Amino acid sequence: MAAFASALRVLPSPPAAVPRRLRSDALEPYISKRTVELHWGKHQQDYVDSLNKQLATSMFYGYTLEELIKEAYNNGNPLPEYNNAAQVWNHHFFWESMQPEGGGSPGQGVLQQIEKDFGSFTNFREEFIRSALSLLGSGWVWLVLKRKERKFSVVHTQNAISPLALGDINTSIPSINLCDDIPCPLLLQPLINLDLWEHAYYLDYKDDRRMYVTNFIDHLVSWDTVTLRMMRAEAFVNLGEPNIPVA
């Protein structure tokens, strides 16, 4: 799928023609070739092209995509570059959150954490679907690691809001309503996300968002990717002062 490296520096030559890692039909029958070509080839590409046009005269030229998102979010008062940057990153993360013949129950490490934080995998699955269906309008649903609490949580965000942008501010702001009125911690590490904009599913599911979300969890989500992301997140969580032996 779209392969936007997380360490990518935005350069004047457009990072537009990025090859997909999977064929357009690799996620069928749950996401059709037609939807992938429209979603990846048009909608996501529009965000890439628009961002590059903005960066030609932007103070954010040379920032990594993650840095740009955090800075341009501007503590809840997004600057013009924010929407396109966040949508480019969100979409890349979305494609990487899926694999052919995915879904089902995750491996032991991830499964144990899910069972600890949700009570059971079934509870997690129901919470993910419930959160996706309770989002009014367009946005995203995420499984995140709350770094300070060292626990998983399901959250949804509206429009282009990304947990990356919320990492350094208090996300219990009522207007954001990120966590269903439950105050969130200061650091949210994304593990998976699902695109809830209509262009992501309308051709295949019409207005049946429930079936789209259910098929994602049951047949598409890449638990292998979640395991790698969880390992990376835990590396930061557990990072401490080194023990230097005394001579």
Side-chain angles (χ1 to χ4, degrees), residues 5-247:
S6 59
L8 176 69
R9 286 204 172 265
V10 183
L11 301 174
S13 56
V18 183
R20 292 192 298 260
R21 294 192 305 106
L22 300 175
R23 299 190 318 270
S24 299
D25 61 355
L27 302 177
E28 289 189 330
Y30 308 106
I31 297 181
S32 68
K33 177 180 179 180
R34 184 183 175 198
T35 290
V36 170
E37 290 177 343
L38 177 68
H39 193 175
W40 183 87
K42 181 184 185 302
H43 292 286
Q44 182 172 344
Q45 191 62 55
D46 286 346
Y47 292 125
V48 173
D49 293 343
S50 296
L51 177 60
N52 278 299
K53 289 178 182 178
Q54 289 176 315
L55 291 174
T57 58
S58 172
M59 65 179 177
F60 294 117
Y61 172 84
Y63 279 52
T64 66
L65 201 53
E66 288 88 348
E67 291 169 346
L68 197 165
I69 289 168
K70 292 174 183 178
E71 292 295 324
Y73 186 64
N74 194 31
N75 290 324
N77 298 289
L79 300 176
E81 296 89 346
Y82 174 78
N83 185 75
N84 288 318
Q87 289 290 52
V88 168
W89 192 93
N90 290 354
H91 277 84
H92 166 61
F93 200 82
F94 166 64
W95 296 119
E96 296 292 326
S97 293
M98 295 182 290
Q99 67 180 55
E101 300 181 1
S105 180
Q108 281 301 310
V110 175
L111 180 60
Q112 288 174 357
Q113 187 70 39
I114 286 176
E115 290 176 338
K116 171 180 173 290
D117 296 332
F118 295 93
S120 68
F121 179 77
T122 298
N123 289 346
F124 155 72
R125 179 180 177 277
E126 291 176 352
E127 173 62 17
F128 192 90
I129 295 171
R130 185 202 66 79
S131 184
L133 297 181
S134 66
L135 175 66
L136 298 178
S138 301
W140 303 80
V141 61
W142 310 75
L143 173 65
V144 299
L145 172 66
K146 295 182 175 181
R147 285 183 174 177
K148 287 193 174 182
E149 299 178 27
R150 301 192 183 192
K151 66 179 294 185
F152 285 172
S153 181
V154 172
V155 300
H156 61 244
T157 60
Q158 291 185 324
N159 300 320
I161 301 299
S162 166
L164 286 184
L166 307 173
D168 298 317
I169 66 172
N170 187 338
T171 60
S172 59
I173 301 173
S175 62
I176 294 177
N177 194 27
L178 176 64
C179 296
D180 299 322
D181 299 323
I182 300 173
C184 296
L186 296 180
L187 294 174
L188 302 175
Q189 175 66 43
L191 296 174
I192 57 175
N193 71 344
L194 177 61
D195 192 341
L196 297 177
W197 288 66
E198 277 196 347
H199 64 242
Y201 62 89
Y202 188 79
L203 288 179
D204 297 328
Y205 296 94
K206 302 303 180 186
D207 60 353
D208 193 350
R209 181 182 281 187
R210 177 182 291 275
M211 183 58 67
Y212 166 64
V213 177
T214 300
N215 280 339
F216 172 80
I217 284 291
D218 291 347
H219 302 290
L220 293 175
V221 63
S222 175
W223 292 117
D224 293 339
T225 298
V226 173
T227 299
L228 294 174
R229 290 169 175 169
M230 183 177 171
M231 291 171 63
R232 180 177 182 273
E234 287 183 335
F236 285 100
V237 168
N238 297 325
L239 190 64
E241 293 296 324
N243 293 318
I244 303 175
V246 178

